Amino acid sequence: MMSGRRARPAEIDASRLGDLLRRTVRPTDTGEPWLRPADIAERVSERRGRPCPVEEVAAALRPGNVPATDIVRAALELRAELKREESGSAAVRRAQADDEEFIARALRTDAPAQRRRRRASALANTTKKKTAWAVGIMVAAGLTLLATGVIPAVLRQFINGAAIEDAIRGGPAITVTEGIYTDGPVPAYTVIPPHQPISASLLRAIARPAGVGDPALARFLLGKGVAGYSLQIRIIAQGNRNESVRIIGIEPVDLHRSPPLHGVLFATPSQGIDANAVMGFDLDQVDPPAQSLNEVGTPQKTLYFLNHTISLAAGEQVVTIVEAYTRDYDVTFNLGISYIVGQSSPRTMIIDNGGRPFHV
């Protein structure tokens, strides 16, 4: 039997994308020139392979509109290119200004005209050499930054297509469906509390041959009973992001322990070894971590998430079965799932058993 709900953690506000575009195209506090919408439209047209109207760029710049990702990417690229060009031309202009000042001072001397011409010629040659030297230094530095990956790394910080598309998409980064897992028609051990009477018709159904497979019995045990000794939970997680999504931890939360239940124990033990679960929680511990289980389901001393993570690509589903067990208490709990999207900080979502806590 499966029951589930969708978790809704907070996500990035897509309106920030419009603010990024407007700050890139029309900076107001740096003194940089504005970008022309026509230049942005031309760059987008080259990427799309079809014309991009200037009106579309102008509409994307209006407050309240969410721009297309290729328009934002084109604006960021043009701004980066403009900054590189301005940096190079400024260095050349400074070198030329210094040399022109030297030439002017030389021409103002009282030396003979021939000497002034020779000095001016020499200074002009020096100007050319200094200009060529400055340009050469800048080109070499640019090639070095490209070769070492510094410029691509910086550009990737500003032009992260996956992050931009995820911001526009919105919604939860992970969708989780959870429910009680059994390897047969009914749980292996179920406790029927005293306040849950067993009807005469259900007793007759149990007494019949193969009565354990009666659907009415399964509905009664799963709806009214409490799992005895242990409980297996199937978690189906789906990634909803272009950036990598990794589950880095699962742990019981909202734990509530009571004395063991009294009542009728209904036992239908499996005839084989149940080795479906990959991690387990000893609910008798104060703060139970996720422990690794071996091939026959025995808890190990190693913590599961020290050596494992669960990675989710966009649209990918991963099924994980966990087991919670106790011998000393009657326990209710929920599960907290910790995950990371891309390089962001860890987040946690809480899952339960269809609106109520898990119970064992």
Side-chain angles (χ1 to χ4, degrees):
M1 298 226 7
M2 294 291 300
S3 60
R5 64 184 182 88
R6 294 180 180 270
R8 300 172 181 170
E11 299 295 331
I12 302 174
D13 186 353
S15 65
R16 295 181 184 175
L17 196 61
D19 295 338
L20 173 62
L21 176 63
R22 287 186 288 276
R23 289 197 305 270
T24 302
V25 176
R26 299 171 179 171
T28 58
D29 54 351
T30 61
E32 297 174 275
W34 288 11
L35 298 178
R36 297 174 58 245
D39 294 337
I40 299 173
E42 182 179 357
R43 178 65 61 90
V44 174
S45 299
E46 294 173 358
R47 292 291 181 81
R48 292 181 179 176
R50 55 183 174 81
C52 171
V54 178
E55 291 78 6
E56 182 179 351
V57 178
L61 288 167
R62 296 192 190 103
N65 290 346
V66 179
T69 57
D70 53 357
I71 291 178
V72 178
R73 189 178 291 111
L76 290 170
E77 290 173 352
L78 289 170
R79 177 60 66 190
E81 293 169 4
L82 185 59
K83 286 185 177 180
R84 289 200 299 274
E85 293 172 0
E86 290 177 349
S87 176
S89 61
V92 174
R93 286 196 299 271
R94 284 194 298 271
Q96 289 176 340
D98 292 342
D99 290 331
E100 288 171 359
E101 183 180 352
F102 294 147
I103 293 173
R105 283 202 301 266
L107 291 175
R108 284 196 298 268
T109 64
D110 295 330
Q114 186 176 4
R115 185 181 299 174
R116 290 200 301 267
R117 286 195 297 270
R118 285 199 301 268
R119 183 174 295 179
S121 177
L123 290 172
N125 289 334
T126 302
T127 299
K128 293 178 181 179
K129 291 180 180 178
K130 287 184 177 181
T131 302
W133 175 80
V135 172
I137 289 295
M138 287 185 293
V139 171
L143 291 175
T144 300
L145 291 173
L146 284 172
T148 56
V150 174
I151 289 179
V154 172
L155 288 178
R156 279 197 298 272
Q157 294 179 3
F158 292 97
I159 308 173
N160 188 337
I164 292 174
E165 292 172 5
D166 287 342
I168 295 174
R169 176 186 300 181
I174 300 179
T175 303
V176 174
T177 304
E178 73 288 325
I180 306 301
Y181 176 79
T182 62
D183 60 349
V186 295
Y189 296 94
T190 304
V191 177
I192 307 301
H195 64 275
Q196 296 290 354
I198 303 176
S199 66
S201 60
L202 186 58
L203 289 174
R204 288 193 296 271
I206 296 173
R208 292 196 299 267
V212 71
D214 192 300
L217 176 61
R219 288 193 299 270
F220 178 80
L221 293 178
L222 293 172
K224 305 295 184 180
V226 176
Y229 306 123
S230 67
L231 174 69
Q232 289 195 344
I233 304 167
R234 177 165 55 186
I235 301 171
I236 305 175
Q238 176 176 309
N240 297 323
R241 288 291 180 269
N242 292 324
E243 289 191 282
S244 61
V245 178
R246 294 180 295 124
I247 295 177
I248 59 173
I250 301 176
E251 61 180 350
V253 295
D254 306 323
L255 276 165
H256 180 74
R257 298 181 178 91
S258 303
L261 282 177
H262 297 283
V264 177
L265 176 64
F266 191 92
T268 58
S270 172
Q271 298 301 311
I273 296 175
D274 183 5
N276 294 296
V278 296
M279 71 185 83
F281 309 102
D282 184 356
L283 301 180
D284 294 334
Q285 295 185 20
V286 175
D287 189 14
Q291 295 177 288
S292 298
L293 303 181
N294 64 13
E295 62 275 5
V296 296
T298 303
Q300 306 299 295
K301 294 182 179 180
T302 56
L303 301 183
Y304 182 82
F305 284 101
L306 283 180
N307 302 314
H308 301 83
T309 59
I310 301 173
S311 299
L312 298 171
E316 178 185 12
Q317 287 189 344
V318 174
V319 179
T320 304
I321 297 177
V322 304
E323 184 170 1
Y325 42 88
T326 176
R327 290 189 176 275
D328 299 332
Y329 300 101
D330 172 51
V331 184
T332 60
F333 62 97
N334 297 319
L335 287 177
I337 299 179
S338 300
Y339 65 95
I340 294 176
V341 179
Q343 302 299 318
S344 66
S345 300
R347 311 174 190 181
T348 301
M349 63 185 304
I350 307 300
I351 63 173
D352 55 28
N353 185 23
R356 60 180 180 173
F358 299 103
H359 195 176
V360 60

